[in-house]
Amino acid sequence: MGAVVGTLTMQTRQRQPSRDKVDDELEMTMVCHRPEGLEQLEAQTNFTKQELQVLYRGFKNECPSGVVNEETFKHIYAQFFPHGDASTYAHYLFNAFDTRNNGSIKFEDFVMGLSTLLRGTVREKLEWTFYLYDINRDGFINKEEMTEIVRAIYDMMGKYTYPALKGDVPKQHVDAFFVKMDKNKDGVVTLEEFVIACQEDENMMRSMQLFENVM
Ligand SMILES: [Ca+2]
Ligand SMILES: [Ca+2]
């Protein structure tokens, strides 16, 4: 990591005469954690370098240390759902972004996830969402996991968004999802079952908040 940082900083310095403001800021703010080269991220994601720079500035603004822990993530996320309790959903979302599974999200992790969710193919988005739902990461979504996630989504949306829901565990909803998804009725949903079910039922995708509200 240190070598990468050194290289990036040196590259920035060498560009001195034509050095633009963003590079300047980037170097100045690299205090605790420095992102790998933006060129590398540009190659790994579906964002342009300009977009990455904007994202990076936003990220640094919210998280000056350069990494987000779960508490900070929940705090930021809660602002988007003032009428509900987003903490449980944010917890699962955090774990899905935290691909290194070390309790913190670096800018690279954040941007990789965002790239999939915003610019990925339908298949990539569904794979990412499946990973989010597969809480214990055993490759299957079981009914308990789906109940957990659906409940978390309902909590997050809050009673103002879903006035018809009265705080009960949305069991009916989960059962309906499960019957549709578990094609071979073996009690678990595989990635393939998940992808097929989502693609053949647009309503289900929407009601599961796959795209609009996942981020
Ligand atoms: Ca699982
Ligand atoms: Ca199955």
Coordinates of all heavy atoms in Angstrom, one line a residue, residues 88-130:
T88 N -30.9 -1.6 10.4 CA -30.7 -3.0 10.1 C -30.3 -3.2 8.7 O -29.4 -4.0 8.4 CB -32.0 -3.8 10.5 OG1 -32.4 -3.5 11.8 CG2 -31.7 -5.3 10.4
Y89 N -31.0 -2.5 7.8 CA -30.7 -2.7 6.4 C -29.3 -2.1 6.1 O -28.5 -2.8 5.4 CB -31.7 -1.9 5.5 CG -31.6 -2.2 4.1 CD1 -32.0 -3.5 3.6 CD2 -31.0 -1.3 3.2 CE1 -31.9 -3.8 2.3 CE2 -30.9 -1.6 1.9 CZ -31.3 -2.9 1.4 OH -31.2 -3.2 0.1
A90 N -29.0 -1.0 6.8 CA -27.6 -0.5 6.6 C -26.6 -1.4 7.1 O -25.5 -1.5 6.5 CB -27.5 0.9 7.3
H91 N -26.9 -2.2 8.1 CA -25.9 -3.2 8.6 C -25.6 -4.2 7.5 O -24.5 -4.6 7.2 CB -26.5 -3.9 9.8 CG -25.8 -5.1 10.2 ND1 -24.6 -5.1 10.8 CD2 -26.2 -6.4 10.1 CE1 -24.2 -6.3 11.1 NE2 -25.1 -7.2 10.7
Y92 N -26.7 -4.7 6.8 CA -26.5 -5.7 5.8 C -25.8 -5.1 4.6 O -24.9 -5.8 3.9 CB -27.8 -6.4 5.4 CG -28.4 -7.2 6.5 CD1 -29.7 -7.0 7.0 CD2 -27.6 -8.2 7.2 CE1 -30.2 -7.7 8.1 CE2 -28.1 -8.9 8.2 CZ -29.4 -8.7 8.7 OH -29.9 -9.4 9.7
L93 N -26.2 -3.9 4.3 CA -25.6 -3.2 3.1 C -24.1 -3.0 3.4 O -23.3 -3.2 2.5 CB -26.3 -1.9 2.9 CG -26.3 -1.2 1.6 CD1 -26.7 -2.1 0.5 CD2 -27.1 0.0 1.6
F94 N -23.8 -2.6 4.6 CA -22.4 -2.4 5.0 C -21.6 -3.7 4.7 O -20.5 -3.6 4.1 CB -22.3 -1.9 6.4 CG -20.9 -1.7 6.9 CD1 -20.3 -0.5 6.7 CD2 -20.1 -2.7 7.5 CE1 -18.9 -0.3 7.1 CE2 -18.8 -2.5 7.9 CZ -18.2 -1.3 7.7
N95 N -22.1 -4.8 5.2 CA -21.4 -6.0 5.1 C -21.2 -6.4 3.6 O -20.2 -7.0 3.3 CB -22.2 -7.2 5.8 CG -22.1 -7.0 7.3 OD1 -21.2 -6.3 7.8 ND2 -22.9 -7.8 8.0
A96 N -22.2 -6.0 2.8 CA -22.0 -6.4 1.3 C -21.0 -5.5 0.7 O -20.2 -5.9 -0.2 CB -23.4 -6.2 0.6
F97 N -20.8 -4.3 1.1 CA -19.8 -3.4 0.6 C -18.4 -3.8 1.2 O -17.4 -3.6 0.5 CB -20.0 -1.9 1.0 CG -20.9 -1.2 0.0 CD1 -22.2 -1.0 0.2 CD2 -20.3 -0.7 -1.2 CE1 -23.0 -0.3 -0.7 CE2 -21.1 0.0 -2.1 CZ -22.5 0.2 -1.9
D98 N -18.4 -4.3 2.4 CA -17.2 -4.6 3.1 C -16.7 -6.0 2.6 O -16.7 -6.9 3.3 CB -17.5 -4.6 4.6 CG -16.2 -5.0 5.4 OD1 -15.1 -4.9 4.8 OD2 -16.4 -5.4 6.6
T99 N -16.3 -6.0 1.3 CA -15.9 -7.3 0.7 C -14.7 -7.9 1.3 O -14.5 -9.1 1.3 CB -15.7 -7.1 -0.8 OG1 -14.8 -6.0 -1.0 CG2 -16.9 -6.8 -1.5
R100 N -13.9 -7.1 2.0 CA -12.7 -7.7 2.7 C -13.1 -8.2 4.0 O -12.2 -8.8 4.7 CB -11.6 -6.6 2.8 CG -11.0 -6.2 1.5 CD -10.2 -4.9 1.7 NE -10.6 -4.0 0.6 CZ -9.8 -3.6 -0.4 NH1 -8.6 -4.1 -0.4 NH2 -10.2 -2.8 -1.4
N101 N -14.3 -7.9 4.4 CA -14.8 -8.4 5.7 C -14.0 -8.0 6.9 O -13.7 -8.8 7.8 CB -15.0 -9.9 5.6 CG -15.9 -10.4 6.6 OD1 -16.7 -9.7 7.2 ND2 -15.8 -11.7 6.9
N102 N -13.5 -6.7 6.9 CA -12.7 -6.3 8.0 C -13.3 -5.1 8.8 O -12.6 -4.4 9.5 CB -11.3 -5.9 7.5 CG -11.3 -4.8 6.5 OD1 -12.3 -4.2 6.2 ND2 -10.1 -4.4 6.0
G103 N -14.6 -4.9 8.6 CA -15.2 -3.9 9.4 C -15.1 -2.4 8.9 O -15.5 -1.5 9.6
S104 N -14.5 -2.3 7.7 CA -14.4 -0.9 7.2 C -14.4 -0.9 5.7 O -14.1 -1.9 5.1 CB -13.1 -0.3 7.7 OG -12.0 -0.9 7.1
I105 N -15.0 0.1 5.2 CA -15.1 0.3 3.7 C -14.2 1.4 3.3 O -14.3 2.5 3.7 CB -16.6 0.7 3.3 CG1 -17.6 -0.4 3.8 CG2 -16.7 0.8 1.8 CD1 -19.0 0.0 3.6
K106 N -13.3 1.0 2.4 CA -12.4 2.0 1.8 C -13.1 2.6 0.6 O -14.1 2.0 0.1 CB -11.1 1.3 1.4 CG -10.3 0.8 2.5 CD -8.8 0.6 2.1 CE -8.7 -0.7 1.3 NZ -7.3 -1.0 1.0
F107 N -12.5 3.7 0.1 CA -13.1 4.3 -1.1 C -13.2 3.3 -2.2 O -14.2 3.3 -2.9 CB -12.2 5.5 -1.5 CG -12.7 6.2 -2.7 CD1 -13.9 6.9 -2.7 CD2 -11.9 6.2 -3.9 CE1 -14.4 7.5 -3.9 CE2 -12.4 6.8 -5.0 CZ -13.6 7.5 -5.0
E108 N -12.2 2.5 -2.4 CA -12.2 1.5 -3.5 C -13.4 0.5 -3.4 O -14.0 0.2 -4.4 CB -10.9 0.7 -3.5 CG -9.6 1.5 -3.8 CD -9.0 2.1 -2.6 OE1 -9.7 2.6 -1.7 OE2 -7.8 2.1 -2.5
D109 N -13.6 0.1 -2.1 CA -14.7 -0.9 -1.9 C -16.0 -0.2 -2.3 O -16.9 -0.8 -2.9 CB -14.8 -1.3 -0.4 CG -13.5 -1.9 0.0 OD1 -12.8 -2.5 -0.8 OD2 -13.1 -1.7 1.2
F110 N -16.1 1.0 -1.8 CA -17.4 1.8 -2.0 C -17.6 2.0 -3.5 O -18.7 1.7 -4.0 CB -17.2 3.2 -1.3 CG -18.3 4.1 -1.5 CD1 -19.6 3.8 -0.9 CD2 -18.2 5.3 -2.2 CE1 -20.6 4.7 -1.1 CE2 -19.2 6.1 -2.4 CZ -20.5 5.9 -1.8
V111 N -16.6 2.4 -4.2 CA -16.8 2.7 -5.6 C -17.0 1.4 -6.4 O -17.8 1.4 -7.4 CB -15.5 3.4 -6.1 CG1 -15.4 3.4 -7.6 CG2 -15.6 4.9 -5.7
M112 N -16.4 0.3 -6.1 CA -16.7 -0.9 -6.8 C -18.1 -1.3 -6.6 O -18.8 -1.7 -7.6 CB -15.8 -2.0 -6.2 CG -14.3 -1.8 -6.4 SD -13.7 -1.9 -8.1 CE -13.6 -3.7 -8.2
G113 N -18.6 -1.3 -5.4 CA -20.0 -1.6 -5.2 C -21.0 -0.7 -5.9 O -21.9 -1.1 -6.6
L114 N -20.7 0.6 -5.8 CA -21.5 1.6 -6.5 C -21.5 1.4 -8.0 O -22.6 1.6 -8.6 CB -21.0 3.0 -6.1 CG -21.9 4.1 -6.0 CD1 -23.0 3.8 -5.0 CD2 -21.2 5.4 -5.6
S115 N -20.4 1.1 -8.5 CA -20.3 0.9 -10.0 C -21.2 -0.3 -10.4 O -21.9 -0.2 -11.4 CB -18.8 0.6 -10.3 OG -18.7 0.1 -11.6
T116 N -21.2 -1.3 -9.6 CA -22.1 -2.5 -10.0 C -23.5 -2.1 -9.9 O -24.3 -2.3 -10.8 CB -21.8 -3.6 -9.0 OG1 -20.4 -4.0 -9.1 CG2 -22.7 -4.8 -9.4
L117 N -23.9 -1.4 -8.8 CA -25.3 -1.1 -8.5 C -25.8 0.0 -9.5 O -27.0 -0.1 -9.9 CB -25.4 -0.5 -7.1 CG -25.3 -1.6 -6.0 CD1 -25.2 -1.0 -4.7 CD2 -26.5 -2.6 -6.1
L118 N -25.0 0.9 -9.9 CA -25.5 2.0 -10.8 C -25.2 1.7 -12.2 O -26.0 2.1 -13.1 CB -24.8 3.3 -10.4 CG -25.1 3.9 -9.0 CD1 -24.3 5.2 -8.8 CD2 -26.6 4.1 -8.8
R119 N -24.1 1.1 -12.5 CA -23.7 0.9 -13.9 C -23.5 -0.5 -14.4 O -23.1 -0.8 -15.5 CB -22.4 1.7 -14.2 CG -22.4 3.1 -13.8 CD -22.8 4.0 -15.0 NE -23.0 5.4 -14.6 CZ -22.1 6.3 -14.6 NH1 -20.9 6.1 -14.9 NH2 -22.4 7.6 -14.3
G120 N -23.7 -1.4 -13.5 CA -23.5 -2.8 -13.9 C -24.6 -3.4 -14.8 O -25.6 -2.7 -15.0
T121 N -24.4 -4.5 -15.3 CA -25.4 -5.2 -16.1 C -26.5 -5.7 -15.1 O -26.3 -5.7 -13.9 CB -24.9 -6.4 -16.9 OG1 -24.4 -7.4 -15.9 CG2 -23.7 -6.0 -17.8
V122 N -27.7 -6.0 -15.7 CA -28.7 -6.6 -14.8 C -28.2 -7.8 -14.0 O -28.4 -7.9 -12.8 CB -30.0 -6.9 -15.6 CG1 -31.0 -7.7 -14.8 CG2 -30.6 -5.7 -16.2
R123 N -27.5 -8.6 -14.7 CA -26.9 -9.8 -14.1 C -26.0 -9.4 -12.9 O -26.1 -10.0 -11.8 CB -26.2 -10.6 -15.1 CG -25.4 -11.8 -14.6 CD -26.2 -13.0 -14.4 NE -25.5 -14.0 -13.6 CZ -25.9 -15.2 -13.4 NH1 -27.0 -15.6 -14.0 NH2 -25.3 -16.1 -12.7
E124 N -25.1 -8.4 -13.1 CA -24.2 -8.0 -12.1 C -25.0 -7.4 -10.9 O -24.6 -7.7 -9.7 CB -23.2 -7.0 -12.6 CG -22.2 -7.6 -13.5 CD -21.4 -6.6 -14.3 OE1 -21.8 -5.4 -14.4 OE2 -20.3 -6.9 -14.9
K125 N -26.0 -6.7 -11.2 CA -26.8 -6.1 -10.1 C -27.5 -7.2 -9.3 O -27.5 -7.1 -8.0 CB -27.8 -5.1 -10.6 CG -27.3 -3.9 -11.2 CD -28.4 -3.0 -11.8 CE -27.8 -1.7 -12.4 NZ -28.8 -1.0 -13.2
L126 N -28.0 -8.2 -10.0 CA -28.7 -9.3 -9.3 C -27.7 -10.1 -8.5 O -28.0 -10.5 -7.4 CB -29.4 -10.1 -10.3 CG -30.7 -9.5 -10.9 CD1 -31.3 -10.4 -12.0 CD2 -31.7 -9.2 -9.8
E127 N -26.5 -10.3 -9.0 CA -25.5 -11.1 -8.3 C -25.1 -10.3 -7.0 O -25.0 -10.9 -5.9 CB -24.2 -11.3 -9.1 CG -24.4 -12.4 -10.1 CD -23.2 -12.5 -11.0 OE1 -22.2 -11.8 -10.9 OE2 -23.3 -13.4 -11.9
W128 N -25.0 -9.0 -7.1 CA -24.6 -8.2 -5.9 C -25.7 -8.3 -4.9 O -25.5 -8.4 -3.7 CB -24.4 -6.7 -6.4 CG -23.6 -5.9 -5.4 CD1 -22.3 -5.7 -5.4 CD2 -24.1 -5.2 -4.2 NE1 -21.9 -4.9 -4.3 CE2 -23.0 -4.6 -3.6 CE3 -25.4 -5.1 -3.7 CZ2 -23.1 -3.9 -2.5 CZ3 -25.5 -4.3 -2.5 CH2 -24.4 -3.7 -1.9
T129 N -27.0 -8.2 -5.4 CA -28.1 -8.2 -4.5 C -28.3 -9.6 -3.8 O -28.6 -9.7 -2.6 CB -29.4 -7.8 -5.2 OG1 -29.2 -6.6 -5.9 CG2 -30.6 -7.7 -4.3
F130 N -28.0 -10.6 -4.6 CA -28.0 -12.0 -4.0 C -27.0 -12.1 -2.9 O -27.3 -12.6 -1.8 CB -27.7 -13.0 -5.1 CG -27.8 -14.4 -4.6 CD1 -29.0 -15.1 -4.6 CD2 -26.7 -15.1 -4.1 CE1 -29.1 -16.4 -4.1 CE2 -26.8 -16.4 -3.6 CZ -28.0 -17.0 -3.6

